[in-house]
Every structure is written in C-alpha cells, then in structure tokens.
Amino acid sequence: MSDDAAKPMSDVVEAVYRSESRQVLATLIRLLGDFDTAEEALHEAFAAAVEQWARDGLPANPRAWLVSTGRFKAIDGLRRRARFDASLSELAKQLETSTDDAAEWDDEHVEDDRLRLIFTCCHPALPPESQVAMTLREVCGLTTEEIARAFLTKPATIAQRIVRAKAKIRDARIPYVVPSERDLPDRLEAVLRVVYLVFNEGYSASSGGSLTRHDLSGEAIRLGRVLIALLPEPEAMGLLAMMLLQDSRCAARTSPTGDLILLEEQDRSLWNREQIAEGVSLVERALSAPRIGPYSIQAAIAAVHAQAPSAAATDWAQIVGLYDLLMQAEPSPVIELNRAVAVAMRDGPSAGLAIIDAVLARGDLANYHLAHSARADLCRRLEKTADARAAYERALSLTQQEPERRFLQRRLSELKD
C-alpha cells in the first residue's frame, strides 16, 4: 500500500490514540500488574495497529483490539526473555491464564480500570509531588517534558519522581483497586486535591511568562469530568463546578498583550456562558447533599461571581457568608485573606485591611505575594500611599510571574508621591 493510501489510516490510529490510549493503558495495568510493562505493551499495540489496520481495516472494537494485542505482546515478550530468566516463563503462563477473558475489556470494566488508575496514582503512600506527576503522566498522558514545562522543572526531575513512584507502588504492593467504602472519603480527598493543584497551576501559573497554562487547567477539568462520571460524589461535583466557573473567565483575564485584568475590570461578555450554566447546575447538585464540603462552597462563591452582571452588583454579603462557612469547613490563612477582600468590598477597605494586617501580624502569609498585593490595593484605596508603595514592592519581590510583575509595576508607577 502506498504512503498516500496509508496516511488516512495513520490519522485514524492517531485519533484513536488520543481518545482511547489512557483507557487502554488502565486496563493493561490491571491485566499485567506493572506500569512499565503496560506502557511498553500499549506502545507496541499502537505500532501494530498502524500496520495491521492499514492492511485489514479498522476493527469493530478498536479498544478491545488494542488491549488484546497489548496483552499478547507483553506475554510474548516475557516468553522471549524467559530463555534468559526461567522465572519469567511462569509469569507468562500466569498472565496468559489469568487475563484471557475478553469480557473484562468491555466499557464497564474499562471505566472501572480508569478509576483504579486515578486512585493508584494518588495513593497517600506517594509524596504529593509524585501524585501530581503520576496523574498527569499515566491518567492524562502528558509526557515528562510537558509536565516539566508546566511546572518549570527539569524533565529529569519529573522522570525521577515517576520512576520512584512506580517503584513504591511495586515494592509496597499498593493494590490497584478502588478503595473500600470505609476508606473512600479519605482517599477521594487525595484525588480531589491533586486535581485541584493541577487546575490551580493552570489557572494561575506560579511563575513564567504567561498568566495561565491552558493545557493544565484543561486536563484538570477533563479529570474532573472523568471522576464524576465514574464516582458522582458531591465534592467531586463541587470541584468540577468550581473549575468550570473559574475557567469561564479565562478569555477576559488577560489583555491581547498578555497583561493581567482584575475581576472588577473584566469584560463579562467574554465569559463562557455554557461553562457557567454547567457549573451552576453542578453547584446546585453538590449543595443538595446532606453535608457540604469545601470544594462545593468554593464553587458556590464562584457561582455568585459568575452570575453577577458587574463587580458593583455582586452580592458581597452572600460571598462573605460563604467564606465564613468555608472557614469553618477548612480554615486557612489563604481563605482568611480571600474573605478579607470580600469584606473590603462589602464594608469598605478599612475593614478588609484590618483583617489582612492581623493575618500578616501572626506571621502567616509573610512570603505570599497575593497577601501583600491585596494589602497594597486596600492601602491605595485609602490613600495610604507610603504603605501602599511598601506593600506593592514587597509583593513585587515575591512574585515570579511576568504578567503579575507588570501589573504591580504599573500600580507602583500610578501612585502619587
């Protein structure tokens, strides 16, 4: 077959890879019991697909074909290596007899496999940074280079984290299962935290030349959709709702030159109304649960912002009340800071400044640039120019993100002596 005739099928294989590879990998990990073996089998299966599908046509069930081919390739590879290591021969026999039921490769079992994979990558025995790296690599399919670029880390560092995580899973015999009903709440919290961290880094990058990293926020939203499709828990709905509502403002958050635009100055006609409608619907479902968790409360706050026609028309009293509830559910200095900003909008800048000063006086958030930026803004509104300048300079010394640096420098230049 000529290259021109083969090209359309190669495009089909590429499309199947994009849509199915993570599900196929999850099933192969279950069948073969090892991440590296499963990944090698996945790539061999797709390599075989390029050749065989071009010759024989697309199979009726590409996913099942890939799982079956990957499993066969793995077993065949073990048999070849068994000539040098007799123990592998027995392993190949075990895999052949224990993984020959094609009924276990249907959609229902594959969806279970995806859920198992997410929980395995986010197992509490793994360090948080390894949980994030494993989730992005194994569940989302990002390369080590893409993960490293997203978090401004060397690819070798990410690769090392993934290798160590896989070794930990293997050596500690971490089970490839969905947690029991008793253990599910704690384990689900770890999964949600990882998705939340991935989204936050995408929504507001910690450093670099761009305000956002759409690949990361997009992956987090995709993960959130997978999670509630497989496990429709209220907090999973709340997290997805929060991400959709925050992300709905994406087009309005930066100028054409990449400069930061604050919420109160954004063109709300640019907000994504479809995402807002979906997010609000999810919030309503999450808030109907007997117990309301922190992600659902954050989503409710985002929904109030999303539904307000302008910053001035925002129901700041409701937002402060929701922050009060959030402080009870998950107290933290950052939440206290966010509440202070809402109080300033409801009661005036002096009221908000008093809260921020109390937080900073305790030593909390001393190195958090947004705390000093918020303090600077309130001082500016109160015409406390010297205090505002000092706070802007402190925030500028702490931030590593270029759009935020330009914003702070512009605010400094606008201050009157």
Side-chain angles (χ1 to χ4, degrees):
M1 181 174 284
S2 70
D3 290 344
D4 289 341
K7 190 174 186 302
M9 184 53 72
S10 67
D11 291 344
V12 170
V13 174
E14 184 177 345
V16 172
Y17 184 89
R18 287 195 302 269
S19 64
E20 301 284 358
S21 63
R22 294 303 100 188
Q23 295 94 314
V24 173
L25 176 64
T27 298
L28 287 172
I29 291 171
R30 171 172 62 83
L31 295 175
L32 302 173
D34 181 78
F35 277 84
D36 291 334
T37 302
E39 287 179 352
E40 184 179 350
L42 174 75
H43 293 305
E44 289 192 359
F46 272 98
V50 172
E51 179 181 342
Q52 293 188 37
W53 293 3
R55 184 185 66 233
D56 304 331
L58 185 70
N61 189 332
R63 182 192 296 168
W65 188 98
L66 289 161
V67 171
S68 178
T69 301
R71 166 184 166 273
F72 173 79
K73 294 285 187 183
I75 294 172
D76 190 50
L78 285 172
R79 283 175 173 160
R80 288 196 306 270
R81 295 196 293 273
R83 287 177 292 178
F84 306 99
D85 186 346
S87 64
L88 294 178
S89 179
E90 183 60 31
L91 178 57
K93 289 179 181 178
Q94 291 176 7
L95 289 176
E96 189 170 25
T97 57
S98 64
T99 64
D100 59 357
D101 187 0
E104 291 191 0
W105 311 338
D106 60 17
D107 287 348
E108 182 179 350
H109 282 87
V110 168
E111 293 303 286
D112 289 344
D113 289 336
R114 297 177 78 189
L115 194 55
R116 290 187 187 100
L117 182 56
I118 292 172
F119 276 101
T120 301
C121 290
C122 299
H123 195 280
L126 304 178
E129 63 272 15
S130 295
Q131 293 178 11
V132 173
M134 281 288 285
T135 301
L136 290 174
R137 178 72 190 93
E138 306 300 335
V139 181
C140 299
L142 272 65
T143 65
T144 52
E145 289 77 12
E146 289 171 330
I147 301 169
R149 188 162 58 247
F151 288 94
L152 298 180
T153 307
K154 295 179 180 178
T157 301
I158 296 297
Q160 190 176 54
R161 288 176 185 171
I162 292 172
V163 168
R164 287 177 176 171
K166 289 177 180 177
K168 178 71 174 180
I169 291 169
R170 181 185 64 248
D171 297 343
R173 299 183 182 276
I174 291 174
Y176 182 62
V177 296
V178 176
S180 66
E181 188 173 343
R182 183 188 64 185
D183 296 333
L184 186 59
D186 290 340
R187 292 288 304 281
L188 179 61
E189 183 179 345
V191 171
L192 295 178
R193 184 183 67 249
V194 167
V195 177
Y196 182 69
L197 289 172
V198 172
F199 177 79
N200 276 354
E201 184 60 29
Y203 180 74
S204 185
S206 57
S207 56
S210 300
L211 179 69
T212 58
R213 294 188 175 123
H214 299 300
D215 55 341
L216 280 185
S217 54
E219 285 296 343
I221 289 172
R222 190 181 74 81
L223 272 174
R225 292 191 189 282
V226 169
L227 201 55
I228 66 165
L230 303 176
L231 196 69
E233 294 286 327
E235 273 293 80
M237 294 180 196
L239 177 57
L240 178 58
M242 185 273 292
M243 294 190 295
L244 287 168
L245 291 164
Q246 298 274 40
D247 193 65
S248 70
R249 304 198 293 263
C250 184
R253 293 181 63 224
T254 55
S255 71
T257 57
D259 289 320
L260 171 65
I261 301 177
L262 297 181
L263 176 64
E264 60 195 61
E265 299 168 353
Q266 289 175 14
D267 179 356
R268 298 188 178 213
S269 68
L270 298 176
W271 289 4
N272 188 316
R273 294 296 156 185
E274 288 184 6
Q275 283 186 302
I276 290 173
E278 184 182 0
V280 169
S281 176
L282 284 166
V283 170
E284 291 171 349
R285 290 172 61 190
L287 294 181
S288 66
R291 295 183 62 183
I292 300 173
Y295 293 116
S296 299
I297 300 170
Q298 290 181 69
I301 293 169
V304 176
H305 283 298
Q307 293 175 301
S310 66
T314 303
D315 189 343
W316 291 105
Q318 185 179 2
I319 288 179
V320 172
L322 287 166
Y323 272 121
D324 290 340
L325 190 59
L326 186 57
M327 281 294 293
Q328 294 176 32
E330 193 174 68
S332 80
V334 171
I335 292 171
E336 196 171 356
L337 171 66
N338 293 337
R339 179 183 177 276
V341 173
V343 168
M345 296 300 293
R346 184 190 66 178
D347 301 333
S350 293
L353 183 60
I355 298 172
I356 294 177
D357 283 344
V359 173
L360 292 172
R362 296 198 307 261
D364 295 330
L365 306 183
N367 295 317
Y368 187 52
H369 72 281
L370 292 178
H372 297 283
S373 178
R375 185 179 191 278
D377 183 63
L378 296 182
C379 288
R380 178 183 64 85
R381 296 186 188 190
L382 291 167
E383 297 184 351
K384 296 183 176 183
T385 305
D387 288 342
R389 178 173 287 106
Y392 277 131
E393 288 174 347
R394 176 61 174 155
L396 190 58
S397 72
L398 292 171
T399 186
Q400 299 180 53
Q401 188 198 93
E402 284 307 312
E404 288 183 336
R405 291 185 62 82
R406 292 196 299 270
F407 172 80
L408 294 169
Q409 288 166 341
R410 187 167 68 250
R411 282 287 200 233
L412 268 170
S413 68
E414 291 169 353
L415 289 176
K416 298 178 182 178
D417 293 327

